[in-house]
């Protein structure tokens, strides 16, 4: 039902080539330390385990793999002006490819996220985010890339805008969430409306729209998977 661009064969794959990964069997460990300082929340993170998607491939077994991963990060969140600002940094240490010269395993990455949110007018909230990934050991990555395989940019940037509007005594929620990457030149738009018809019944409808100039990019690969959906939820 969902296909994606497979760089190993240079085309989209789905049910015609199901993924049969080699699942990890080791332990995972995550730690978060946080404290409120002068009205701001400061946090430090640590994780030791595996990439959460099949970001590796074992050519001898012919299977996708979950390479080992270690992450360090920190975040800061607090009031700024009439809204709330936050920032987060992280380093993704790809332990199975620390030199970045194995094209079948993700390189290490540095990541940054900046965000700001505030109520624009009563019942209308707006938020902006800026996100960037930096691919480490980029020269080694380019030098090891097989001919014909799509090349990632050293920096991948992503801008996000979110609007949320509450109407009809806050029983109807209108939401618009838009992602746009100026480096990949692709986008993902998610408009949605939900109606709380009663204390038990919620009706919802929306669109997942994808697009991009290249079928190899993060959102562009799903352009043909754009869809409309509707849902009815009854709680008791």
């Amino acid at each position: 039902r969902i296909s994606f661009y497979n760089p190993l064969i240079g085309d989209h794959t789905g049910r015609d080539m199901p993924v049969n990964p080699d699942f990890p069997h080791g332990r995972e460990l995550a730690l978060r330390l946080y404290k409120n300082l002068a009205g701001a929340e400061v946090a430090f993170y640590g994780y030791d385990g595996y990439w959460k998607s099949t970001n590796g491939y074992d050519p001898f077994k012919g299977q996708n793999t979950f390479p080992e991963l270690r992450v360090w990060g920190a975040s800061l969140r607090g009031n700024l002006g009439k809204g709330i600002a936050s920032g987060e940094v992280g380093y993704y240490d790809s332990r199975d490819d620390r030199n970045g010269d194995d094209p079948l395993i993700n390189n290490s990455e540095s990541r940054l996220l900046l965000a700001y949110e505030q109520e624009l007018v009563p019942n209308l909230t707006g938020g902006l985010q800026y996100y960037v990934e930096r691919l480490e050991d980029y020269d080694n990555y380019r030098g090891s890339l097989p001919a014909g395989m799509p090349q990632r940019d050293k920096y991948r940037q992503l801008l996000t805008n979110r609007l949320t509007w509450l109407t009809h005594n806050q029983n109807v929620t209108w939401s618009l969430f838009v992602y746009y990457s100026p480096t990949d030149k692709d986008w993902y738009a998610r408009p949605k409306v939900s109606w709380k018809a009663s204390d038990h019944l919620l009706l919802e409808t929306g669109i997942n729209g994808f697009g991009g100039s290249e079928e190899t990019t993060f959102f562009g690969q799903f352009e043909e998977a754009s869809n409309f959906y509707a849902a009815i939820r009854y709680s008791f």
Side-chain angles (χ1 to χ4, degrees):
R1 297 192 176 198
I2 297 178
S3 62
F4 63 96
Y5 184 83
N6 188 337
L8 296 177
I9 67 170
D11 201 356
H12 280 78
T13 59
R15 68 170 117 187
D16 58 328
M17 188 179 292
V19 176
N20 180 29
D22 181 14
F23 288 100
H25 303 288
R27 54 99 183 107
E28 293 179 278
L29 178 65
L31 177 68
R32 178 175 182 259
L33 302 174
Y34 66 95
K35 184 176 179 60
N36 289 320
L37 296 173
E41 183 181 275
V42 181
F44 297 93
Y45 309 87
Y47 170 77
D48 187 75
Y50 305 88
W51 288 91
K52 291 301 182 180
S53 57
T54 53
N55 290 326
Y57 184 78
D58 187 335
F60 300 103
K61 294 182 178 180
Q63 286 183 296
N64 295 80
T65 63
F66 295 83
E68 293 186 3
L69 175 68
R70 182 172 291 161
V71 180
W72 304 101
S75 66
L76 176 65
R77 177 181 173 88
N79 295 326
L80 180 64
K82 297 181 179 180
I84 299 175
S86 61
E88 187 167 349
V89 294
Y91 180 74
Y92 283 54
D93 180 9
S94 189
R95 299 177 61 196
D96 289 338
D97 187 26
R98 281 179 164 162
N99 295 324
D101 53 8
D102 187 343
L104 301 180
I105 297 178
N106 265 22
N107 279 36
S108 298
E109 297 176 2
S110 299
R111 301 186 180 187
L112 169 69
L113 175 66
L114 301 174
Y116 184 76
E117 182 181 49
Q118 78 170 61
E119 188 176 47
L120 305 176
V121 296
N123 294 321
L124 177 62
T125 302
L128 295 172
Q129 289 185 348
Y130 171 74
Y131 170 75
V132 60
E133 296 174 354
R134 181 183 187 272
L135 194 64
E136 303 294 336
D137 302 303
Y138 193 69
D139 290 340
N140 291 344
Y141 161 75
R142 288 200 308 172
S144 64
L145 203 64
M149 184 176 288
Q151 179 177 303
R152 293 177 56 183
D153 292 326
K154 185 174 183 178
Y155 294 92
R156 176 177 177 262
Q157 301 179 70
L158 186 64
L159 302 173
T160 305
N161 175 53
R162 181 171 190 169
L163 295 172
T164 304
W165 184 31
L166 303 178
T167 63
H168 299 82
N169 295 320
Q170 299 188 345
N171 289 319
V172 179
T173 301
W174 308 79
S175 175
L176 176 62
F177 208 169
V178 179
Y179 299 81
Y180 173 70
S181 173
T183 48
D184 288 349
K185 295 181 175 59
D186 61 357
W187 55 270
Y188 169 36
R190 192 173 68 185
K192 180 180 71 172
V193 58
S194 61
W195 173 38
K196 186 180 179 182
S198 70
D199 290 339
H200 304 286
L201 184 62
L202 179 69
L203 308 178
E204 184 175 276
T205 184
I207 296 173
N208 289 298
F210 300 89
S213 57
E214 301 289 341
E215 66 174 2
T216 61
T217 58
F218 190 84
F219 295 126
Q221 64 182 318
F222 300 121
E223 185 167 7
E224 297 300 321
S226 297
N227 60 82
F228 164 83
Y229 68 91
I232 299 176
R233 180 179 297 175
Y234 185 80
S235 303
F236 57 91

